[in-house]
Amino acid sequence: QVQLKESGGGLVQPGGSLTLSCVISGFTEDYWAIGWFRQVPGKAREGVICSSRDGITYYLDSVKGRFTMSRDNSKSTVYLQMNSLNLEDAAFYCSARRLRRCSGTENAYRPWGQGTQVIVSS
């Protein structure tokens, strides 16, 4: 059974940095993508960024130059590095897997992790 487990959320001051982790288990395919999505109360979930072996795809212009992703295959872990965080980045972040390439459509991803909360506040 494929599972994703996120961690690393928490409270950070505006301008600060935070790294979210997604530990992946239960599958052996070698061509897959991990997307990060976020949601705030009252708004639809939005795609943020995705990584596959093809590279990184940004779905939000506002995070370009501030967010990036990396992988540690030895730990089956994908990271979302977030720098220069601002109040608009505060949200509930979830990761999700898609076989092969990235997609901006959240329905293309399965399964999803349980998510982690990011709070940006002074």
Side-chain angles (χ1 to χ4, degrees):
Q1 181 180 0
V2 179
Q3 291 186 323
L4 282 67
K5 183 173 177 61
E6 302 96 335
S7 62
L11 174 64
V12 61
Q13 292 185 340
S17 298
L18 204 61
T19 297
L20 306 183
S21 301
C22 169
V23 179
I24 311 155
S25 62
F27 69 97
T28 58
E29 294 88 350
D30 62 0
Y31 188 10
W32 45 269
I34 293 292
W36 285 93
F37 297 77
R38 70 187 187 187
Q39 188 171 23
V40 297
K43 292 188 176 182
R45 183 161 56 189
E46 58 185 1
V48 179
I49 188 174
C50 177
S51 171
S52 74
R53 71 183 192 189
D54 302 318
I56 294 174
T57 302
Y58 291 89
Y59 295 112
L60 280 180
D61 287 341
S62 64
V63 307
K64 289 180 180 179
R66 301 188 299 120
F67 289 16
T68 191
M69 291 181 66
S70 60
R71 296 183 175 193
D72 185 339
N73 291 329
S74 68
K75 297 181 179 179
S76 299
T77 302
V78 175
Y79 302 97
L80 171 61
Q81 290 107 32
M82 305 185 292
N83 300 315
S84 302
L85 285 161
N86 56 52
L87 298 179
E88 289 70 36
D89 295 317
F92 190 74
Y93 284 74
C94 282
S95 63
R97 187 206 70 162
R98 183 177 192 267
L99 289 176
R100 296 190 290 277
R101 63 182 63 86
C102 290
S103 170
T105 304
E106 64 177 75
N107 290 340
Y109 291 82
R110 186 185 307 112
W112 290 72
Q114 84 287 354
T116 186
Q117 186 72 47
V118 172
I119 303 168
V120 182
S121 176
S122 56

